[in-house]
Amino acid sequence: MKFHFDCGLPRSGSTLLTAILNQNPQIHAGTLSPVFEVMYYTNDILQGEQAQAFPKPDVFRKMVRDGIINYYSDRDEPVIIDKCRAWPAHIDMLKKYVIDDPKIICTVRNPLDILASFITLFHKDGGLNFIDKAMLKQGLFITDDTRCHYMMNPGGIVWESMNALATAFRQNQTQHIHFVQYDDLVSDPEKALQGIHWFLKLKPFEYDFDNIKQRDREKDKEVYGLPSMHEVRSSIEKTSKHYEDVLSAEVINKYKNMDFWNR
């Protein structure tokens, strides 16, 4: 197996991209996986007192690397794309345990569009979603504005993914990341996929952008309280509202010009 990685920002088209890539019989592009946590915490344990009292570097390396190998032991595709938004902040771990030159695909989108997509989704699906549940546990008052602030503050889903990506910039590791703009993916998917194939050094493949099927589906309702969170349409079309039609002026002014990856 050859391992690549996906760290797409939330609501930026990474699920759509995964569904497209899975048309290729040579590729398995999965949903969000626990591989990073397994590798990270195994590595952390092996830095502890008991392990370091009698270190076995080669064995330890295999133990950490086995996290990704074992997780995908049920797949037989030669190319695996593991998805986790934390990868940009831990590229050195990938270099140490997986591959010398890791390649990470990152779908990106204007943070205001991400927030607008979340708010639209919350209203569409209704019920108690994972953001509202977390806010209630902290005694926070729920409005669309406070939801946005919660997601953009430390610990929030948008902040966490953007912060991981910013770490790669701070560490001058962006040569390992191929950025895919959401608008480019939905307006010219063929060109976007050609760019990914070039970056990953994959053989050409003809994708069908009018017959997209979602092979794997996360338990969105049970885990996130949002039944359509990772829903993918059979054909590509941009249906989202402009953020100015969804977000307040306060939110727009506070979080505008935060797409640092475009500078």
Side-chain angles (χ1 to χ4, degrees), residues 36-51:
F36 164 73
E37 285 87 350
V38 170
M39 293 178 64
Y40 178 87
Y41 288 111
T42 302
N43 180 64
D44 190 53
I45 290 170
L46 296 175
Q47 307 307 312
E49 183 178 275
Q50 290 178 319

Side-chain angles (χ1 to χ4, degrees), residues 96-154:
K96 182 176 181 180
Y97 294 113
V98 183
I99 188 170
D100 292 337
D101 182 23
K103 295 184 182 297
I104 306 172
I105 304 166
C106 186
T107 51
V108 291
R109 191 179 187 183
N110 186 319
L112 292 174
D113 284 322
I114 292 174
L115 293 175
S117 180
F118 266 120
I119 296 301
T120 301
L121 177 66
F122 296 161
H123 287 288
K124 175 190 171 193
D125 282 1
L128 185 64
N129 61 70
F130 72 112
I131 296 296
D132 291 355
K133 188 182 296 186
M135 291 177 65
L136 288 172
K137 283 184 178 180
Q138 296 185 27
L140 300 174
F141 188 67
I142 296 174
T143 67
D144 285 345
D145 279 12
T146 58
R147 284 165 163 166
C148 290
H149 296 321
Y150 182 83
M151 289 188 284
M152 291 296 289
N153 282 333

Side-chain angles (χ1 to χ4, degrees), residues 39-105:
M39 293 178 64
Y40 178 87
Y41 288 111
T42 302
N43 180 64
D44 190 53
I45 290 170
L46 296 175
Q47 307 307 312
E49 183 178 275
Q50 290 178 319
Q52 292 304 312
F54 188 74
K56 297 183 177 183
D58 292 340
V59 174
F60 291 175
R61 183 179 185 278
K62 184 177 184 302
M63 289 173 68
V64 179
R65 179 178 169 80
D66 279 352
I68 192 168
I69 293 173
N70 291 337
Y71 186 76
Y72 291 106
S73 61
D74 61 337
R75 308 303 313 184
D76 55 13
E77 295 89 348
V79 176
I80 302 293
I81 301 177
D82 180 79
K83 183 177 179 180
C84 178
R85 298 189 182 106
W87 285 128
H90 299 276
I91 292 174
D92 285 339
M93 187 169 76
L94 291 176
K95 290 180 177 179
K96 182 176 181 180
Y97 294 113
V98 183
I99 188 170
D100 292 337
D101 182 23
K103 295 184 182 297
I104 306 172
I105 304 166

Side-chain angles (χ1 to χ4, degrees), residues 207-263:
Y207 294 94
D208 186 351
F209 303 114
D210 294 314
N211 187 30
I212 301 170
K213 296 179 181 178
Q214 202 166 358
R215 189 175 68 189
D216 301 315
R217 186 68 189 267
E218 296 173 64
K219 294 182 178 180
D220 291 332
K221 183 177 180 179
E222 296 86 343
V223 177
Y224 305 111
L226 296 165
S228 63
M229 184 172 179
H230 292 107
E231 191 173 75
V232 173
R233 301 181 183 87
S234 60
S235 59
I236 299 176
E237 58 178 329
K238 185 176 181 179
T239 60
S240 55
K241 300 177 182 178
H242 193 277
Y243 64 78
E244 290 182 344
D245 297 326
V246 179
L247 306 177
S248 70
E250 178 199 345
V251 168
I252 293 172
N253 288 331
K254 186 170 184 178
Y255 302 118
K256 63 183 178 182
N257 301 322
M258 295 191 69
D259 52 341
F260 56 85
W261 48 87
N262 288 328
R263 296 171 195 166

